[in-house]
């Protein structure tokens, strides 16, 4: 897909890039190559088939879920002021 010089100039203006005439021609060619690659990628079938990648997780491979004791709230709140059983964080939005 060919891209127009006017479009490249507009993109350069938006991105605050300054090119001479040779630089604009080079960028125009590179941008055309990128757009051509994107058009080619769109033609590929990218549907995911989890049976083909060999990364399926079997239920027997997962770890056992073991309940562990939580960190005591009293210790977490020991350095907090005016907590009333809550975590106090600094005000972010006024």
């Amino acid at each position: 897909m060919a891209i127009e010089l006017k479009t490249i100039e507009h993109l350069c203006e938006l991105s605050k890039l300054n090119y001479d005439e040779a630089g604009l021609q080079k960028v125009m060619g590179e941008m055309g190559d990128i757009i051509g690659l994107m058009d080619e990628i769109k033609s590929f079938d990218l549907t995911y088939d989890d049976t083909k990648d060999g990364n399926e997780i079997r239920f027997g491979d997962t770890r056992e879920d073991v309940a562990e004791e939580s960190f005591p709230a009293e210790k977490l709140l020991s350095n907090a002021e005016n907590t009333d059983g809550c975590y106090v964080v600094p005000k972010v939005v006024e």
Side-chain angles (χ1 to χ4, degrees):
M1 170 182 214
I3 190 164
E4 296 179 3
L5 183 60
K6 182 179 177 183
T7 305
I8 294 296
E9 290 171 343
H10 179 67
L11 291 173
C12 287
E13 182 181 336
L14 291 174
S15 57
K16 300 188 186 317
L17 297 173
N18 295 320
Y19 289 109
D20 58 356
E21 194 62 35
L24 284 173
Q25 293 297 327
K26 182 179 177 187
V27 169
M28 187 168 68
E30 292 172 350
M31 189 66 75
D33 292 343
I34 292 169
I35 292 173
L37 179 64
M38 293 298 114
D39 287 340
E40 186 177 334
I41 287 174
K42 283 194 282 188
S43 68
F44 291 119
D45 180 22
L46 299 176
T47 54
Y48 178 68
D49 186 2
D50 62 343
T51 61
K52 292 184 179 180
D53 64 2
N55 290 329
E56 62 267 1
I57 298 175
R58 294 176 183 85
F59 184 71
D61 295 342
T62 58
R63 66 174 172 80
E64 184 180 340
D65 191 15
V66 179
E68 295 179 2
E69 193 168 323
S70 179
F71 207 78
E74 297 80 29
K75 188 166 186 172
L76 289 173
L77 295 172
S78 64
N79 292 329
E81 298 176 16
N82 300 325
T83 60
D84 294 326
C86 299
Y87 296 100
V88 179
V89 295
K91 188 176 183 181
V92 177
V93 179
E94 292 186 31

